[in-house]
Amino acid sequence: EVQLVESGGGLVQPGGSLRLTCAASGFNFNKVDMTWVRQAPGKPLKWVSTIGSDGSRTTYTPSVNGRFTISRDNAKGMLFLQLNQLKTEDTALYYCARDSDLMWLGNDILPFENRGQGTQVTVSS
C-alpha cells in the first residue's frame, strides 16, 4: 500500500523558513519522480516542484524558483522541500505525490490517488 506522510508545516512570518518532509513507503521510492503540490484555500491544486528519481533533475514553478529547494534521500524514502523567503501567497496545504499519480487539467492538478493528509503552511504577520 502506497503511503505518503507529510510533516513540517506551521505558522511563520513573511520572510521566514520551513522544511517540509514526506515519508514514503509501499513502493520503490528510488525509481520514481516525486512532486510537491499545494492547495490554497478555495483554490485548485497547483504544482510546486518535481525531482527526478535519482535527484539529479529538479524543476520549480516560477513563483517559488530561487526560494524553495526540493531534495530527497532515497536510502530513507524521504522527500523534502525547503521553503525560504516565505510570502503570504505561499499559504497552502502542501502535499507530496508520485509524479506518475498526477493528472492535469490545464494548469491545475486534479485530486489524485494516494494523497496523504498534507501539511499546512501559513505565512502571516
Side-chain angles (χ1 to χ4, degrees):
E1 178 189 2
V2 173
Q3 282 198 321
L4 299 167
V5 180
E6 302 91 346
S7 62
L11 172 63
V12 63
Q13 292 185 340
S17 298
L18 286 171
R19 189 190 195 210
L20 307 185
T21 297
C22 169
S25 61
F27 62 100
N28 289 326
F29 180 79
N30 60 357
K31 295 188 183 299
V32 304
D33 296 354
M34 294 294 294
T35 291
W36 285 97
V37 301
R38 65 186 180 184
Q39 187 168 30
K43 299 291 180 62
L45 287 163
K46 294 290 188 181
W47 173 70
V48 176
S49 180
T50 297
I51 186 168
S53 59
D54 64 357
S56 62
R57 174 176 47 87
T58 58
T59 52
Y60 301 90
T61 193
S63 64
V64 309
N65 200 22
R67 300 188 298 120
F68 292 7
T69 303
I70 191 172
S71 61
R72 64 192 297 163
D73 184 336
N74 282 350
K76 296 181 179 179
M78 304 285 280
L79 177 72
F80 307 100
L81 188 67
Q82 178 68 39
L83 289 63
N84 296 330
Q85 302 172 47
L86 280 161
K87 304 177 180 181
T88 55
E89 52 262 43
D90 296 317
T91 294
L93 192 55
Y94 284 71
Y95 300 94
C96 62
R98 300 188 305 178
D99 195 66
S100 58
D101 283 341
L102 299 179
M103 291 185 291
W104 293 75
L105 181 63
N107 291 325
D108 301 335
I109 291 175
L110 298 173
F112 56 95
E113 287 188 53
N114 305 314
R115 187 166 66 171
Q117 83 287 353
T119 187
Q120 178 67 42
V121 172
T122 302
V123 185
S124 175
S125 55

